């Protein structure tokens, strides 16, 4: 959500820190917070004025009218405050329907004043601007300030002046106070704007000859502006409304939400309740709560929440396990139900999210059965059939009763089943598999002819209020001459030939649009180009039917607009941080008449600026916080309508007679489903977005539909919050709306809750009685709108109205023609399990695809938890085993002793020469590594093979030495240039001591040491060197550690695993030499002449 209430202490802290006014603001920062844990001695040390002044004490828990409720202690000394708190602190109190415990209190200095010195001041935001209310009589008995107060609206992008304040607001204030109050109000308004407040009320505001005192203050700020205001806000705490506890699980989900691009929300209503929900979608979550309450479950409803925006499997798992953990803490005598519901997803892979839920159910299967939990599932969207299948399977394998339903079942039908109001079907009907809609049985590559006219009412000429004047493509509006009349917003937003630019590298959404275009028999794709500032100009590959086409991608918008003058729609997938700037830029081009803003979380103040600019330029904005809209047979925005299976199932490839407008993107897809099942289909549908101030309103689109001949009836899905639905009533009364309207406002459950609940959409919050869903539904019903009794009956009402229109001849259903087919993408066919293909690569050591990196089956977090070290990781990646601790330590010792052997050896020499030639690290390291072989460093494998073969064949050490001499072969791993039997290599000695102490058996090492005795008797430097020692010791390790069969151990030797130890270890030394040469700034190496023997051929020297 956006507008969130803050505590009085936080609000005053912001005011005292940042207000800029000539008025003397008194008692700055003079407040003290008290809780049950307060140390009074420490408190009086920090605030010594508590001991000397008269005081006021009151709860700071978002409670309104505290004075009227007797919750303010006035004109007390500190002892009086403490006695007052004894009666109130940690005491349960009932305020209205909310029952809660008073935990947080604020103590401030008492301000002596007269009634004439009390004033009322309030600033709040609306779509058009910010309203400033001022009344010369403040305090607890202020009454109906809306009727009494002087008011002035400051329009969006305008400023408030002291003269305006004095003239419009201070007419009943004495002259001596006008100056200070005017300055204070202007300063407060600037603070309100700068810190992105949405509501700010001071009552009373006291003005005396000493200055201005802020006695009581209530405020809300736009939480989405955190990325702008963080330096001033700091870490803001948003307290829960009174009557609702703040639970750590809510904070955990809020933290997940903040770190995710998806939306994750959780509010606990009654942790002991038996009805729990896990609903996908902001709008759908409200509908499910409404239905539960309508069916009498309000007292047993345990939680409100939603997950949406394509969360990952891990995020869904974390969310689900939190719900399951909460619901399995206390048993309920009737058992419990979990409703896993949702509308038809537009782009979320249902199977992927269900995998996270399934994993959580498996982990909690024991407590779920102990608490007698029954689960009801209903979902639709991409790959939903597979999601439902795995959900059904987990029910069978765990023994938990899980009832699974798809799009063939009404969205909220499972609520009636769960609460015992309707029977549970034994075998619910299942819709066809996705593949049946998508796979083309025909070999024809020709685009099929149009199956139906794109629209019953395509206008032949422009519907603008004045003739369109041809503009120069790509030039901003201010660079072109005025057309002589203001541009009116178009009635028809999308046509069969509409072209769009997509801002953002959203290839999946663009491909979805092109597939929709193809199945609608458009002649050309609706996407002309993409804009992505983070790469250079290039081409992106997409499919048009079976063919591959290239779509231009531009770095800047100006080039895209100039090269594509036919474009009149911009679809912006810009992030919440960049959406404002990119939209402002797009509105400078007069060719653009529609902009869809997908991003959620744009600060309201910025959205209002966009709305004002769009209204001035005659541009229609859809969004923000929307999936977009769709016009069957013509055009769809981004991911609207879901994938092709849903497009075809809901008959969105051709127009019907019903137009709809909704706030929710997910619920718009549900409306597509409902309308397709009850009427001849959708003519056009728009999801205006869930923010408080959507770019276009319900009435903007309803009036378009009223003026569009092809639309015969209108469906509206409104919701709690705002007053836009009342304009429908006004339109009907004034005769502006004559077509039948079916409307239902979701959020009826809000009036049944004891405390305020913020629903999934930012705008879904009633600030007054008229904004409740119940009040709006009744007003619509009274005005003649067709209003069902609940969302459950919405489809029935739509069908009744449609049937009446067919009966009276208003609608003549067209003959249904099969749509053209579109080849399925390979990736999606594979996701559905319809095809198989040999993989180009196989790997068995690592998997990075999930939420966590996995080494040979072990999550990386476990690798660190168990302190496996480098040797353990090498064991996982090289040998696919968890090696014993001594084996891991031995590997690390081998890496240490082979790390370097000075600059004179060939590998180090090559690395140094390369480094001094100015080559980079990788090139220098590679130069050194290329010298490794049988003659340098690569003797580990060869030594292991020779000694193993001799030992395994039963040769005596002397026989082995004699055979190698007879064959004229060197014994690998024997001999050292410097070290000898009299000057032993300490590296070998260290390793030998460790191996003898820890290895269970050292047969091959003992054999090699016997060979060493024979060779050193002939020449003292023919010792078992470090390469040979590591080679034979590793064979003993592989054969005797218990982790490998004999064949597996021999295979690792054969494929070169042991040489890898030397390569990995010596790489550390080579890198060290490279860095050393760079650090010493050594120049190009040239070998000295006196170290070269120049030997010419004999015939030349003669």
């Amino acid at each position: 959500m956006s507008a969130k209430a803050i505590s009085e202490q936080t609000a005053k802290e912001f005011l005292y820190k940042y207000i800029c006014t000539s008025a003397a603001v008194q008692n700055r920062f003079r407040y003290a917070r008290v809780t049950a844990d307060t140390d009074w001695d420490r408190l009086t040390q920090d605030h010594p004025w508590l001991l000397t002044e008269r005081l006021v004490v009151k709860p700071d828990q978002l409670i309104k009218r505290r004075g009227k409720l007797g919750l303010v202690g006035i004109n007390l000394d500190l002892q009086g405050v403490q006695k007052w708190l004894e009666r109130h602190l940690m005491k349960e109190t009932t305020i209205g329907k909310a029952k809660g415990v008073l935990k947080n209190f604020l103590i401030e200095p008492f301000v002596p004043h007269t009634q004439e010195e009390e004033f009322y001041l309030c600033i709040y935001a609306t779509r058009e601007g910010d309203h400033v209310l001022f009344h010369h009589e403040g305090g607890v008995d202020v009454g109906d300030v809306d009727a009494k107060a002087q008011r002035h609206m400051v329009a969006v992008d305008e400023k408030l002046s002291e003269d305006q304040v004095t003239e419009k607001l201070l007419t009943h204030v004495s002259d001596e106070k006008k100056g200070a109050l005017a300055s204070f109000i202007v300063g407060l308004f600037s603070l309100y704007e700068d810190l992105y407040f949405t509501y700010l009320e001071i009552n009373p505001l006291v003005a005396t000859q000493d200055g201005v005192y802020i006695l009581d203050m209530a405020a809300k700020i736009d939480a989405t502006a955190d990325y702008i205001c963080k330096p001033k806000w700091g870490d803001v705490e948003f307290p829960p409304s009174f009557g609702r506890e703040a639970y750590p699980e809510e904070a955990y989900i809020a933290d997940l939400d903040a770190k995710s691009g998806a939306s994750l929300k959780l509010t606990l209503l009654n942790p002991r309740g038996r009805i729990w929900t896990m609903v996908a979608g902001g709008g759908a979550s409200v509908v499910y709560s409404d239905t539960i309450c309508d069916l009498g479950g309000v007292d047993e409803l345990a939680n409100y929440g939603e997950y949406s925006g394509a969360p990952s499997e891990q995020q869904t798992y974390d969310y689900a396990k939190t719900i399951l953990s909460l619901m399995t803490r206390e048993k309920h005598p009737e058992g419990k139900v979990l409703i896993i519901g949702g509308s038809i997803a537009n782009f979320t892979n249902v199977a992927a999210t269900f995998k996270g839920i399934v994993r959580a159910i498996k982990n909690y299967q024991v407590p779920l059965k102990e608490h007698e939990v029954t689960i009801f599932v209903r979902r639709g969207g991409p790959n939903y059939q597979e999601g439902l299948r795995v959900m059904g399977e987990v029910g069978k394998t765990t023994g938990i009763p899980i009832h699974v339903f798809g799009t063939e079942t009404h969205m909220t039908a499972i609520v009636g089943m769960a609460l015992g109001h309707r029977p549970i079907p034994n075998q619910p009907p299942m819709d066809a598999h996705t593949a049946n809609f998508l796979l083309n049985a025909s070999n024809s590559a020709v685009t099929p002819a149009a199956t139906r006219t794109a629209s019953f009412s395509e206008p032949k000429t422009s519907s603008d209020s004045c003739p369109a004047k041809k503009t120069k493509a790509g030039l901003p509006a201010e660079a072109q001459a005025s057309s002589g009349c203001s541009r009116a917003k178009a009635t028809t937003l999308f046509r069969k030939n509409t072209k769009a630019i997509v801002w953002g590298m959203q290839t999946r959404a663009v491909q979805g649009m092109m597939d929709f275009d193809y199945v609608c028999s458009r002649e050309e794709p609706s996407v002309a180009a993409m804009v992505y500032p983070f790469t250079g100009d290039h081409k992106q590959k997409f499919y048009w039917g079976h063919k591959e086409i290239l779509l231009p991608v531009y770095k800047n918008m100006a080039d895209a607009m100039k090269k594509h003058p036919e474009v009149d729609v911009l679809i912006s997938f810009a992030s919440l941080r960049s959406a404002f700037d990119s939209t402002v830029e797009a509105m400078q081009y007069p060719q653009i008449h529609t902009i869809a803003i997908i991003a959620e979380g744009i600060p309201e103040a910025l959205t209002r600026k966009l709305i004002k600019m769009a209204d001035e330029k005659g541009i229609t904005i859809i969004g923000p916080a929307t999936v977009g809209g769709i016009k069957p047979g013509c055009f769809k925005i981004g991911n609207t309508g879901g994938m092709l299976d849903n497009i075809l199932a809901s008959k969105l490839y051709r127009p019907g007679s019903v137009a709809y407008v909704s706030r929710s993107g997910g619920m718009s897809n549900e409306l597509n489903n409902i309308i397709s099942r009850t009427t001849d289909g959708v003519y056009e549908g728009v999801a205006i977005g869930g923010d408080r101030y959507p770019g276009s309103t319900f009435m903007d689109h309803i009036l378009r539909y009223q003026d569009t001949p092809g639309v015969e009836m209108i469906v509206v899905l409104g919701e709690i919050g705002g007053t836009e639905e009342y304009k429908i009533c006004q339109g009907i009364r004034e005769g502006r709306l004559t077509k039948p309207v079916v409307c239902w406002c979701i959020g009826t459950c809000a009036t049944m809750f004891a405390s305020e609940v913020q629903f999934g959409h930012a705008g879904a919050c009633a600030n007054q009685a008229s904004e409740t869903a119940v009040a709006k539904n009744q007003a619509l019903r009274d005005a003649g709108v067709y209003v069902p009794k609940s969302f459950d009956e919405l489809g029935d009402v739509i069908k009744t109205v449609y049937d009446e229109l067919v009966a009276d001849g208003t609608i003549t259903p067209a003959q249904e023609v099969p749509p053209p087919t579109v080849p399925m993408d390979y990736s999606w066919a594979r996701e559905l399990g319809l095809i198989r293909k040999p993989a180009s690569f196989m790997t068995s050591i690592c998997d990075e695809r999930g939420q966590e990196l996995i080494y040979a089956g072990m999550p990386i977090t476990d690798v660190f938890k168990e302190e496996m070290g480098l040797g353990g990781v090498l064991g996982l990646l090289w040998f696919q085993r968890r090696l014993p601790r001594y084996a891991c330590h031995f590997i690390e010792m081998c890496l240490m002793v082979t790390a370097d052997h000075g600059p004179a050896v060939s590998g180090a020499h090559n690395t140094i020469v390369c480094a001094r030639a100015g080559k980079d690290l990788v090139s220098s390291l590679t130069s050194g590594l290329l010298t490794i072989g049988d003659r340098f460093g690569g003797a580990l494998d060869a030594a292991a093979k020779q000694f193993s073969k001799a030992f395994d064949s039963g040769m005596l050490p002397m026989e082995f030495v004699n055979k190698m001499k007879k064959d004229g072969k060197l014994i690998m791993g024997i001999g050292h240039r410097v070290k000898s039997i009299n000057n032993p290599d300490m590296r070998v000695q260290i390793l030998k001591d460790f191996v003898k102490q820890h290895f269970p058996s050292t047969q091959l090492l003992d054999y090699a040491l016997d060979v060493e005795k024979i060779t050193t008797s002939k020449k003292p430097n023919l010792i078992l060197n470090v390469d040979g020692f590591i080679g034979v010791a590793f064979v003993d390790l592989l054969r005797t550690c218990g982790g490998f069969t004999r064949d597996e151990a021999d295979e690792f030797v054969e494929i070169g695993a042991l040489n890898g130890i030397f390569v990995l270890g010596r790489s550390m030394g080579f890198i060290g030499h490279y860095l050393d040469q760079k650090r010493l700034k050594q120049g190009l190496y040239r070998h000295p002449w006196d170290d070269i023997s120049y030997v010419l051929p004999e015939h030349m020297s003669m």
Side-chain angles (χ1 to χ4, degrees):
M1 67 172 293
S2 50
K4 285 189 176 182
I6 54 176
S7 67
E8 182 176 3
Q9 179 182 345
T10 301
K12 287 182 174 177
E13 182 180 341
F14 288 168
L15 187 150
Y16 293 147
K17 272 186 181 179
Y18 301 116
I19 193 168
C20 183
T21 175
S22 60
V25 179
Q26 300 296 327
N27 285 341
R28 284 178 182 254
F29 303 105
R30 299 185 80 188
Y31 46 73
R33 183 168 178 259
V34 177
T35 67
D37 300 324
T38 295
D39 181 337
W40 286 92
D41 291 335
R42 178 64 182 271
L43 191 71
T44 52
Q45 288 178 13
D46 294 340
H47 306 283
W49 50 268
L50 291 170
L51 299 170
T52 58
E53 297 196 26
R54 305 298 291 178
L55 305 170
V56 172
V57 58
K58 55 193 172 183
D60 188 8
Q61 291 180 236
L62 309 184
I63 299 171
K64 300 174 182 178
R65 302 175 187 87
R66 290 168 295 187
K68 288 277 190 183
L69 295 169
L71 292 178
V72 181
I74 299 174
N75 196 13
L76 305 171
D77 59 14
L78 184 59
Q79 187 177 5
V81 166
Q82 291 172 324
K83 286 183 179 179
W84 189 91
L85 285 170
E86 287 177 6
R87 301 194 303 273
H88 296 89
L89 181 61
M90 300 309 295
K91 297 294 190 293
E92 190 173 76
T93 304
T94 300
I95 300 173
K97 291 191 293 184
K99 182 184 292 185
V101 177
L102 298 173
K103 297 179 178 180
N104 299 309
F105 288 82
L106 208 58
I107 305 175
E108 296 177 301
F110 172 68
V111 179
H113 62 276
T114 64
Q115 179 64 44
E116 290 71 27
E117 293 172 322
E118 287 189 354
F119 303 95
Y120 173 88
L121 178 61
C122 179
I123 309 172
Y124 65 90
T126 63
R127 183 182 183 85
E128 296 77 21
D130 298 292
H131 295 258
V132 185
L133 273 64
F134 182 87
H135 190 44
H136 62 282
E137 295 174 348
V140 294
D141 296 317
V142 66
D144 185 4
V145 290
D146 280 334
K148 294 179 180 179
Q150 305 292 109
R151 65 175 62 229
H152 174 64
M153 190 192 81
V154 184
V156 174
D157 260 352
E158 293 185 4
K159 293 297 181 184
L160 181 66
S161 69
E162 291 189 22
D163 289 342
Q164 288 174 325
V165 171
T166 303
E167 180 184 344
K168 301 284 182 67
L169 302 176
L170 305 182
T171 53
H172 300 293
V173 175
S174 59
D175 292 340
E176 65 269 15
K177 291 180 181 174
K178 283 184 177 179
L181 283 172
S183 174
F184 176 79
I185 293 171
V186 170
L188 188 70
F189 187 82
S190 296
L191 170 86
Y192 168 94
E193 286 191 314
D194 293 344
L195 268 65
Y196 284 75
F197 281 84
T198 61
Y199 180 84
L200 197 161
E201 181 186 57
I202 302 174
N203 181 37
L205 170 68
V206 171
T208 70
Q209 60 184 9
D210 298 326
V212 174
Y213 298 85
I214 292 89
L215 266 55
D216 284 353
M217 186 172 179
K220 293 182 180 181
I221 57 175
D222 186 347
T224 60
D226 180 71
Y227 72 96
I228 300 171
C229 299
K230 184 76 171 177
K232 289 185 176 181
W233 283 358
D235 294 322
V236 182
E237 181 182 346
F238 297 104
S241 57
F242 181 75
R244 206 171 52 75
E245 296 296 320
Y247 293 91
E249 290 82 5
E250 293 176 339
Y252 171 70
I253 297 300
D255 184 58
L256 284 180
D257 179 62
K259 296 175 181 176
S260 165
S263 177
L264 302 166
K265 304 287 188 293
L266 176 63
T267 300
L268 286 175
L269 303 172
N270 174 17
R272 296 180 178 177
R274 66 178 294 264
I275 306 169
W276 292 76
T277 64
M278 195 185 305
V279 180
S285 61
V286 181
V287 171
Y288 276 97
S289 296
D290 284 350
T291 309
I292 291 168
C293 293
D294 287 343
L295 296 179
V298 63
D299 294 330
E300 290 291 351
L301 181 58
N303 71 304
Y304 167 78
E306 59 112 352
Y307 67 95
S308 58
S312 68
E313 178 186 334
Q314 183 64 36
Q315 289 164 345
T316 313
Y317 168 75
D318 291 336
Y319 186 84
K321 74 174 184 181
T322 304
I323 301 288
L324 298 184
S325 170
L326 286 164
M327 73 180 299
T328 54
R329 291 180 185 176
E330 289 188 39
K331 290 188 177 181
H332 195 284
E334 299 177 38
K336 296 185 178 181
V337 295
L338 173 61
I339 295 170
I340 302 176
S343 57
I344 301 172
N346 287 289
F347 55 89
T348 298
N349 186 331
V350 174
T353 56
F354 271 17
K355 285 179 183 177
I357 298 175
V358 164
R359 184 150 60 101
I361 290 173
K362 287 179 178 178
N363 290 350
Y364 280 86
Q365 58 182 296
V366 174
L368 285 172
K369 285 190 279 191
E370 288 177 355
H371 287 74
E372 300 179 48
V373 174
T374 304
I375 300 175
F376 293 83
V377 182
R378 190 274 186 183
R379 192 74 163 106
N383 208 6
Y384 80 93
Q385 296 94 340
E386 175 64 13
L388 298 181
R389 186 192 67 78
V390 297
M391 195 67 79
E393 285 295 321
V394 76
K396 295 174 184 176
T397 56
T398 61
I400 299 168
I402 300 181
H403 305 281
V404 178
F405 304 90
T407 55
E408 77 291 336
T409 302
H410 185 71
M411 190 178 98
T412 53
I414 59 171
V415 178
M417 299 176 201
L419 273 58
H421 290 272
R422 69 167 73 194
I424 303 170
N426 291 327
Q427 289 185 326
M430 292 297 291
D431 276 348
H433 195 281
T434 308
N436 293 345
F437 287 116
L438 298 180
L439 289 179
N440 190 350
S442 168
N443 293 323
S444 172
V446 181
T447 303
T451 59
R452 189 170 180 172
T453 55
S455 168
F456 291 139
S457 60
E458 276 303 333
K460 303 300 181 188
T461 59
S462 173
S463 60
D464 291 347
S465 58
C466 62
K469 184 172 181 179
K470 192 168 182 179
T471 58
K472 295 180 180 178
L475 289 182
E478 61 267 20
Q480 304 190 28
S482 170
S483 63
C485 66
S486 61
R487 192 167 95 181
K489 292 188 179 182
T491 298
T492 303
L493 299 184
F494 312 116
R495 296 183 173 85
K496 190 85 172 178
N497 58 353
T498 293
K499 291 277 191 173
I501 287 174
V502 174
W503 199 106
M505 191 54 68
Q506 291 287 328
T507 53
R508 178 179 169 184
V510 171
Q511 185 61 65
M513 291 176 67
M514 290 192 175
D515 288 343
F516 174 81
D517 298 339
Y518 188 84
V519 83
C520 292
S521 303
R522 277 184 59 128
E523 293 181 1
E524 293 182 335
S526 59
V527 182
M530 300 170 73
V531 174
Y532 193 59
F534 307 106
T535 61
D537 291 359
H538 65 283
K539 302 278 188 181
Q540 191 76 26
K541 188 166 64 175
F542 291 97
Y543 285 103
W544 177 248
H546 71 289
K547 297 186 299 183
E548 288 185 309
I549 61 173
L550 294 175
L551 198 68
V553 181
Y554 299 96
K555 185 176 177 64
N556 64 73
M557 198 178 295
D559 290 342
M561 295 291 181
K562 183 176 182 180
K563 293 180 181 178
H564 300 279
E566 74 280 12
V567 164
D568 59 4
V569 176
L570 176 80
I571 301 171
S572 174
F573 284 95
S575 71
L576 63 93
R577 289 172 173 80
S578 56
F580 176 78
D581 291 334
S582 58
T583 305
V584 169
E585 181 185 1
M587 284 196 281
Q588 306 310 310
Y589 299 94
Q591 67 193 79
I592 297 297
H593 73 59
T594 305
I595 299 176
I597 306 172
I598 310 302
E600 181 178 3
I602 301 173
E604 292 176 355
L606 300 184
T607 301
R608 293 189 305 168
K609 291 181 180 181
L610 293 178
I611 293 169
K612 181 179 181 181
M613 292 178 62
D615 288 344
E616 292 171 350
K617 295 175 179 290
I619 295 171
T620 298
I621 292 180
I622 299 173
T626 183
V627 72
I630 191 165
K631 189 171 184 180
C634 288
F635 186 85
K636 85 166 185 136
I637 296 171
N639 295 303
T640 310
M643 298 190 67
L644 266 185
D645 58 337
N646 190 66
I647 296 288
L648 297 170
S650 297
K651 301 182 179 66
L652 298 174
Y653 51 85
R654 51 72 171 167
S657 305
V658 184
Y660 71 81
V661 59
S662 162
R663 273 187 171 272
S664 167
M667 290 305 298
S668 70
N669 220 3
E670 196 63 44
L671 287 177
N672 291 331
N673 179 47
I674 293 171
I675 292 170
S676 71
R677 291 174 183 271
T678 55
T679 72
D680 66 348
V682 174
Y683 180 90
E684 183 177 345
V686 172
I688 61 174
D691 282 357
R692 282 214 299 169
Y693 309 122
S696 52
T697 66
F698 284 141
M699 278 302 284
D700 290 335
H701 297 286
I702 291 169
L703 292 176
R704 285 199 306 108
Y705 299 155
Q706 171 67 32
D707 296 338
T708 302
V711 176
E712 303 299 344
M713 63 178 284
I714 300 167
V715 175
V716 182
L717 189 65
E719 70 178 28
I720 181 176
T723 57
E724 185 66 24
E725 290 85 352
Y726 290 104
K727 294 181 181 177
I728 302 174
C729 305
Q730 182 181 348
I732 293 173
R733 284 195 297 268
E734 294 174 354
R736 181 66 178 89
L737 292 179
T738 58
K739 294 178 180 178
V741 178
V742 178
C743 183
W744 175 251
C745 295
I746 66 175
T748 54
C749 61
T751 53
M752 304 182 196
F753 294 149
S755 59
E756 181 182 316
V757 174
Q758 173 61 49
F759 295 113
H761 293 156
C765 181
N767 295 312
Q768 53 192 2
S770 61
E771 294 188 13
T772 64
V774 173
K776 290 196 280 190
N777 282 330
Q778 187 57 50
L780 289 162
R781 192 176 287 114
D782 294 342
V785 174
Y786 295 91
V787 180
K789 293 179 181 177
S790 68
F791 181 82
D792 255 355
E793 298 182 5
L794 179 62
D796 297 335
V797 173
I798 291 173
K799 187 177 189 317
T800 299
V801 176
Y802 173 78
D803 289 345
E804 290 175 359
L805 293 173
V806 172
D808 66 19
T810 303
I811 295 176
T812 303
Q815 184 179 357
E816 200 66 59
V817 180
T821 52
V822 178
M824 182 186 290
D825 285 347
Y826 167 78
S827 59
W828 191 243
R830 186 181 59 185
E831 176 78 25
L832 295 171
L834 300 175
I835 59 173
R836 61 187 182 189
K837 168 186 171 292
S840 302
F841 287 97
M842 292 181 69
T843 180
S844 59
I845 63 169
C846 184
D847 190 344
E848 81 289 3
R849 295 171 299 172
Q851 190 74 13
E852 187 174 357
L853 182 65
I854 294 175
Y855 289 164
M858 176 174 278
I860 190 67
T861 51
D862 291 346
V863 171
F864 283 95
K865 282 178 186 175
E866 300 188 24
E867 299 181 348
M868 295 188 67
L870 185 58
V873 171
L874 193 145
L876 293 173
L877 295 180
W878 288 18
F879 304 109
Q880 299 176 299
R881 301 287 193 282
R882 287 197 60 180
L883 298 177
R885 183 72 66 181
Y886 71 83
C888 297
H889 190 46
F890 176 69
I891 291 173
E892 292 173 2
M893 292 177 68
C894 292
L895 295 176
M896 288 190 278
V897 300
T898 59
D900 197 44
H901 204 225
V905 297
S906 57
H909 181 82
N910 265 25
T911 301
I912 290 169
V913 171
C914 250
R916 292 178 62 170
K919 303 297 285 185
D920 61 276
L921 171 63
V922 175
S923 301
S924 302
L925 174 61
T926 303
S927 172
L929 292 175
L930 288 173
T931 64
I932 296 176
D934 287 349
R935 302 185 68 179
F936 166 63
L940 278 76
D941 284 335
K945 291 174 185 177
Q946 286 184 355
F947 281 105
S948 296
K949 183 178 180 181
F951 176 77
D952 294 340
S953 65
M955 280 188 188
L956 296 173
M958 181 61 75
E959 291 175 331
F960 172 56
V961 173
N962 291 339
K963 184 178 186 307
M964 297 299 289
K965 183 177 181 181
K966 181 180 178 181
D967 293 344
K969 295 180 180 179
L970 295 173
I971 301 176
M972 292 294 104
I974 292 290
H976 199 283
R977 184 179 180 87
V978 177
K979 299 297 180 180
S980 66
I981 194 72
N982 302 313
N983 179 25
D985 189 339
M986 291 309 299
R987 297 178 298 171
V988 174
Q989 192 61 45
I990 292 168
L991 292 174
K992 187 193 299 183
D993 292 342
F994 181 85
V995 168
K996 286 293 185 181
Q997 182 179 352
H998 294 93
F999 279 27
S1001 174
T1002 58
Q1003 286 183 314
L1004 191 60
L1005 174 59
D1006 294 339
Y1007 183 84
L1009 291 174
D1010 288 341
V1011 171
E1012 182 189 48
K1013 291 176 183 176
I1014 297 169
T1015 56
T1016 52
S1017 67
K1018 300 183 178 187
K1019 201 171 183 181
N1021 70 329
L1022 296 179
I1023 59 171
L1024 181 66
N1025 60 34
V1026 70
D1027 293 354
F1029 182 92
I1030 293 174
V1032 296
F1034 236 106
V1035 174
D1036 280 331
L1037 173 64
L1038 293 173
R1039 289 182 176 183
T1040 64
C1041 73
F1044 307 91
T1045 65
R1046 178 63 177 269
D1047 289 341
E1048 287 174 335
D1050 292 345
E1051 183 183 22
F1052 278 116
V1053 174
E1054 194 64 36
I1055 62 179
L1058 307 191
N1059 268 356
I1061 296 291
F1062 183 85
V1063 172
L1064 181 60
R1066 191 52 59 93
S1067 292
M1068 293 188 283
F1070 290 169
I1071 292 171
H1073 285 296
Y1074 170 85
L1075 297 174
D1076 186 50
Q1077 295 301 307
K1078 293 295 185 181
R1079 186 168 53 249
L1080 296 173
K1081 296 180 173 55
Q1082 293 296 288
L1084 180 68
Y1085 175 80
R1086 181 181 175 86
H1087 204 72
W1089 288 339
D1090 58 5
D1091 193 37
I1092 302 172
S1093 177
Y1094 292 91
V1095 182
L1096 297 174
E1098 290 184 8
H1099 70 278
M1100 295 294 293
S1101 60
M1102 294 173 62

